[in-house]
């Protein structure tokens, strides 16, 4: 109980007036380590009084597939955003099409995670950027099996660089 009370006191101390946990780690090295991990539990207060894992100014990032995969597993440390895989529907329901978009991204990332695991490089709960990139690269053969070599207009598709989540979602849902 004493340990739990100490943790609650530490969290309470880290709260700022705006309803966001401080993650600046300005006191000492142990606080810096705690701050690094605090972005995983940071909650932002929204206008409707709800607390969410993303600030009210957050929008789904418009990233190519490899970068989105890294964001999914690692988040944005500079912006204090946790890995997107930790987001729940309630965290994005304030966005236009937030629930649907999160669902589509989750479907594509699950496909890539399963492909990486089949290739022998299963994703872990916490990953570094380099580990996420390695997992993504190991999922490439499965991705190539699902995505056609040409776009509908007849251009050669750049499967390894320019894919978007929406494109992959379209093809993996067609295949299944």
């Amino acid at each position: 109980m004493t340990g739990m009370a100490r943790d609650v006191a530490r969290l309470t101390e880290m709260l700022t007036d705006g309803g966001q946990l401080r993650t600046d780690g300005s006191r000492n090295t142990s606080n810096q380590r705690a701050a690094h991990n605090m972005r995983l539990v940071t909650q932002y207060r929204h206008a409707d009084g709800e607390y969410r894992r993303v600030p009210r100014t957050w929008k789904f990032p418009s990233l190519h597939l490899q970068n989105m995969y890294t964001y999914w597993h690692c988040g944005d440390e500079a912006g204090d955003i946790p890995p997107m895989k930790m987001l729940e529907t309630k965290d994005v329901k304030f966005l236009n099409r937030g629930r649907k978009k999160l669902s589509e991204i989750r479907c594509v990332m699950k496909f890539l995670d399963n492909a990486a695991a089949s290739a022998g490089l299963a994703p872990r709960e916490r990953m570094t950027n380099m580990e996420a990139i390695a997992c993504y690269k190991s999922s490439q053969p499965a991705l190539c099996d699902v995505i056609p070599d040409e776009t509908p207009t007849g251009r050669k598709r750049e499967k390894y660089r320019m894919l978007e989540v929406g494109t992959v979602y379209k093809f993996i849902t067609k295949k299944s």
Side-chain angles (χ1 to χ4, degrees):
M1 282 299 243
T2 306
M4 192 166 31
R6 202 172 327 124
D7 290 343
V8 169
R10 192 174 312 131
L11 284 171
T12 303
E13 180 186 45
M14 296 173 102
L15 281 171
T16 64
D17 296 17
Q20 176 186 352
L21 290 173
R22 261 190 306 202
T23 58
D24 60 3
S26 57
R27 291 194 185 159
N28 61 33
T29 308
S30 65
N31 278 348
Q32 287 174 346
R33 258 185 264 118
H36 172 73
N37 293 325
M38 286 309 297
R39 77 181 173 91
L40 301 177
V41 295
T42 298
Q43 296 276 315
Y44 298 89
R45 186 181 174 123
H46 284 245
D48 60 2
E50 293 288 324
Y51 285 90
R52 297 185 173 93
R53 288 187 174 113
V54 294
R56 61 190 126 194
T57 57
W58 185 83
K59 298 198 180 337
F60 280 100
S62 179
L63 302 170
H64 293 295
L65 190 60
Q66 179 177 343
N67 295 335
M68 184 62 87
Y69 188 81
T70 303
Y71 194 93
W72 177 260
H73 283 288
C74 302
D76 176 12
E77 285 188 42
D80 288 328
I81 306 298
M84 195 183 288
K85 67 184 175 185
M86 297 178 77
L87 299 184
E88 299 171 2
T89 303
K90 71 180 184 96
D91 294 322
V92 297
K93 73 179 183 181
F94 70 98
L95 296 168
N96 186 26
R97 294 187 62 236
R99 291 173 47 175
K100 183 171 175 29
K101 190 152 184 152
L102 182 62
S103 175
E104 289 175 1
I105 294 169
R106 185 173 282 124
C107 177
V108 171
M109 297 306 145
K110 185 177 179 182
F111 172 82
L112 295 173
D113 285 348
N114 290 340
S118 295
L121 197 56
R124 297 180 307 127
E125 187 174 328
R126 284 194 168 174
M127 297 171 61
T128 65
N129 286 350
M130 295 304 289
E131 291 169 333
I133 291 168
C135 280
Y136 175 78
K137 288 188 184 289
S138 72
S139 71
Q140 292 301 291
L143 201 54
C144 286
D145 289 344
V146 174
I147 308 294
D149 292 332
E150 291 185 353
T151 66
T153 59
R155 287 189 335 225
K156 182 176 168 48
R157 190 182 306 272
E158 292 188 46
K159 293 184 186 181
Y160 296 106
R161 290 185 1 164
M162 306 303 279
L163 283 175
E164 301 286 336
V165 171
T167 303
V168 177
Y169 178 77
K170 180 174 69 175
F171 287 111
I172 63 175
T173 54
K174 272 185 185 179
K175 185 152 183 145
S176 60

